Amino acid sequence: MVDRKHPGHVFDVAVVGGGASGASATYHLSRAGLDVVLLDRNDLNTEASGRNAGSLHGQIQHEPFLEEGAEWAEEWLPALRFLADSLTLWDDLSDELGTDLQVAKKGGILVADDVSQLAAIERKVALENRIGIPSRMLSADDLRGLAPWLSDTVVGGELCPIEGKANPLLVAPAFARRAVEAGALVRTQTPAVGFDRDGDARVIRTPGGDVRARRVILAGGDGMPDLARHFDLDLPISSGAVQVSVTERVDPMVAHLFYYAGGKLTFKQAQSGTLLIGGGWPARRNAAGEWVVNPDSLRANLAMAIRIAPMIADLALLRTWTGIGNGTPDHRPIIGPVTAEGDVIVGFYPYMGFTAAPLMGRILADLAQDRDPGLDLAPFAPTRF
């Protein structure tokens, strides 16, 4: 019997990063019959993939659309198409993985409470329609028909019908579990601290010993800049902690994923009945340098939620937690080989990597097998910066 934990064993592929994208890639590779090992510096799903609010995004995010402008939005359309294609995979993912991932795709609604906000939303909808996303404008009456709990101040907005939500605590573990069933090896508490070559194999140095593989996939999220530097590549990935809050349970009321055109807000209801309130408000560091809840952000975030949903003002807030938000300067993903031999591949989707994970894992698995992923990856090249 082959001892795959022996330092001399050579895997077909080693995946570095145990979030949703890394676990998805491991699943697809193991299902294809490859000898795969998944390495994570902590435990699976403990960083961005497991600490987000579970939003499934499929529209141009309103804040960068306003801040970056029309030219940026045009160039970002391939990244939006990536999200839309990934969203189609979510439809059957619970059945495929044998786990109820609590996927609900009732659509996403961007709410405006000032008529001056509507012109930008209309331009954004037109761009989404151009690549086949059936977004449409909503009147104030449309909004109240879909969500009678909304504030009387709403004047209109947008419906993006492909959006929704899922449970982020379940997705990466489900991918990993099915990968193990197909023969993958998972090693947690195993950070990659260095890389070397040994013949046709890459050697991954870890505190617990070397790991050898013919191909390496880097899907380390927050750790990607450090990992890429081992291959003389400077990836401008930003990292910062944001926070999400959850209320007590209430009767079903919020069917859609909601955003607010006037500021940072995502608002939705989990299957359990709790309301999840987020939107990218920053956490803060304490004296020890640890990320902790920022009360100023909390107050602002809750005030914004109450502005669009006044009926939540008296609900009890159960907890607020922090999660890591990673970005790139152009908001586009980074996908492709980073070595001349093509044997080290990176995969990273900024800000909305949870939504992108099912497709990201499939594409990384294709690249590791020298298969055409069926997608033009030129806009996402790691060398573009």
Side-chain angles (χ1 to χ4, degrees), residues 242-327:
V242 295
Q243 50 196 56
V244 181
S245 299
V246 59
T247 73
E248 63 182 307
R249 296 180 181 183
V250 297
D251 291 336
M253 97 177 193
V254 183
H256 303 82
L257 166 62
F258 280 84
Y259 310 85
Y260 173 47
K264 297 176 182 289
L265 179 68
T266 59
F267 181 72
K268 58 185 174 292
Q269 188 166 19
Q271 189 179 87
S272 65
T274 60
L275 299 177
L276 293 164
I277 303 168
W281 287 88
R284 64 179 178 86
R285 291 191 186 274
N286 62 15
E290 302 164 326
W291 288 111
V292 295
V293 171
N294 183 334
D296 293 334
S297 288
L298 178 60
R299 283 190 289 268
N301 195 190
L302 295 181
M304 198 166 285
I306 292 169
R307 180 169 179 170
I308 74 156
M311 51 75 61
I312 72 170
D314 294 329
L315 294 181
L317 192 70
L318 298 184
R319 67 188 179 101
T320 300
W321 72 93
T322 63
I324 300 298
N326 305 123

Side-chain angles (χ1 to χ4, degrees), residues 194-198 201-205 210-211 213 231:
F195 295 84
D196 287 309
R197 287 297 299 267
D198 182 10
R202 290 282 174 178
V203 181
I204 304 172
R205 308 292 185 193
D210 295 344
V211 176
F231 303 98

Side-chain angles (χ1 to χ4, degrees), residues 5 39 59 109 137 169 220 241 250 385:
K5 294 186 179 181
L39 309 176
Q59 63 178 279
I109 292 178
M137 295 295 292
L169 299 178
V250 297
F385 300 105

Side-chain angles (χ1 to χ4, degrees), residues 40-55:
D40 193 274
R41 61 184 177 180
N42 297 308
D43 290 318
L44 299 182
N45 208 42
T46 55
E47 298 187 38
S49 291
R51 296 168 67 180
N52 65 84
S55 300

